[in-house]
Amino acid sequence: MKQIIFATSNESKAKRFNKGLKELGIEVLSLKDINLKLNVEEDGSTAIENALIKARECYKKTGMPCMGMDDTLYMEGVPEDRQPGLFVRRVNGKSLTDEEVLLYYINLVKEYGKDGKINCKWIYGLAVINEKGEESTYTWSKDDFYMVSNRSNKINPGYPLNSISKYKKLDKYFTEVTDEDMKLLEVNEDDVVDFIASHI
């Protein structure tokens, strides 16, 4: 089985593409799995640039196929200087815990939302480096949801915003959707899995 290292210290994120890639004969290893810590400054101006920074550092340290990922968040009606953009978890220079993230975004929804909700959009960037050192990048977005000021009782560690994010079509929290719901929503990341598999 082929292996690829996901250059992230977020354990939930590290498992994101596991199932789909395993079906294609690729095992995803996290930084924790190989006992590696990366010290990188994510100073890119886009999600793709930050994803490349992480993947390159990981490849430099291991020489193995690596992938890095980053995302940007935009919230409708929030002023430019308050938009999360690339700094979803870093606010005023501080890296927030899951609980602090939740409280911060709930307050943003209360301040700028209408009827307790705000339409949002994620833009993702992914970088894959194969064993030869060849780089490939991919981007995609998700805007079929909004954030609300009331949180779900369930939390996904590492993905705290799932507790205040709801799919527009179902008005259901990300943390509470079932596999059947996902089929109804036609939400999957098969295109991302296929991209990774074809560029490893």
Side-chain angles (χ1 to χ4, degrees), residues 61-80:
K61 291 259 169 69
T62 65
M64 289 177 63
C66 296
M67 64 180 177
M69 183 177 161
D70 202 14
D71 38 52
T72 47
L73 174 64
Y74 297 97
M75 305 174 76
E76 190 174 274
V78 172
E80 193 61 38

Side-chain angles (χ1 to χ4, degrees), residues 5 10 20 25 42 50 52 80 82 89 116 129 132 178-179:
I5 302 167
N10 182 326
E42 295 175 40
N50 279 343
L52 274 167
E80 193 61 38
R82 299 284 303 276
R89 199 178 266 273
I129 302 180
K132 295 176 185 173
T178 63
D179 289 342

Side-chain angles (χ1 to χ4, degrees), residues 136-198:
S136 307
T137 59
Y138 189 70
T139 187
W140 71 105
S141 63
K142 177 195 284 189
D143 62 0
D144 56 348
F145 74 103
Y146 47 80
M147 287 188 192
V148 295
S149 54
N150 292 317
R151 60 195 281 181
S152 161
N153 292 324
K154 292 184 182 177
I155 189 165
N156 296 141
Y159 284 108
L161 292 179
N162 285 359
S163 297
I164 57 167
S165 298
K166 285 187 170 186
Y167 285 105
K168 292 176 181 177
K169 195 171 179 181
L170 295 179
D171 192 37
K172 204 168 183 181
Y173 290 106
F174 284 14
T175 51
E176 296 175 10
V177 293
T178 63
D179 289 342
E180 283 68 37
D181 290 334
M182 294 303 267
K183 285 175 191 166
L184 181 69
L185 290 163
E186 297 177 336
V187 172
N188 65 55
E189 292 181 319
D190 291 350
D191 55 329
V192 186
V193 168
D194 290 342
F195 173 81
I196 296 166
S198 61

Side-chain angles (χ1 to χ4, degrees), residues 117-137:
K117 61 186 179 184
I118 288 182
N119 288 322
C120 298
K121 182 177 187 174
W122 283 108
I123 299 176
Y124 302 96
L126 180 80
V128 175
I129 302 180
N130 67 17
E131 57 190 9
K132 295 176 185 173
E134 295 165 338
E135 300 176 351
S136 307
T137 59

Side-chain angles (χ1 to χ4, degrees), residues 15-140:
K15 295 172 184 169
R16 185 166 181 160
F17 307 112
N18 276 11
K19 188 180 174 193
L21 286 169
K22 200 163 200 172
E23 288 169 3
L24 298 175
I26 299 166
E27 180 186 12
V28 180
L29 301 173
S30 70
L31 294 176
K32 191 177 178 183
D33 290 332
I34 61 168
N35 200 25
L36 177 67
K37 283 189 177 175
L38 293 182
N39 249 332
V40 292
E41 191 176 345
E42 295 175 40
D43 54 2
S45 58
T46 65
I48 287 283
E49 286 179 14
N50 279 343
L52 274 167
I53 288 167
K54 290 184 264 195
R56 284 169 179 160
E57 184 63 18
C58 186
Y59 181 77
K60 191 167 87 177
K61 291 259 169 69
T62 65
M64 289 177 63
C66 296
M67 64 180 177
M69 183 177 161
D70 202 14
D71 38 52
T72 47
L73 174 64
Y74 297 97
M75 305 174 76
E76 190 174 274
V78 172
E80 193 61 38
D81 63 340
R82 299 284 303 276
Q83 284 290 347
L86 285 165
F87 304 102
V88 177
R89 199 178 266 273
R90 290 187 303 254
V91 178
N92 298 324
K94 183 191 175 192
S95 186
L96 304 183
T97 64
D98 282 2
E99 188 61 30
E100 287 170 337
V101 166
L102 269 172
L103 291 173
Y104 179 78
Y105 284 92
I106 284 170
N107 285 330
L108 271 185
V109 175
K110 285 178 178 174
E111 191 172 350
Y112 297 106
K114 290 178 184 172
D115 302 319
K117 61 186 179 184
I118 288 182
N119 288 322
C120 298
K121 182 177 187 174
W122 283 108
I123 299 176
Y124 302 96
L126 180 80
V128 175
I129 302 180
N130 67 17
E131 57 190 9
K132 295 176 185 173
E134 295 165 338
E135 300 176 351
S136 307
T137 59
Y138 189 70
T139 187
W140 71 105

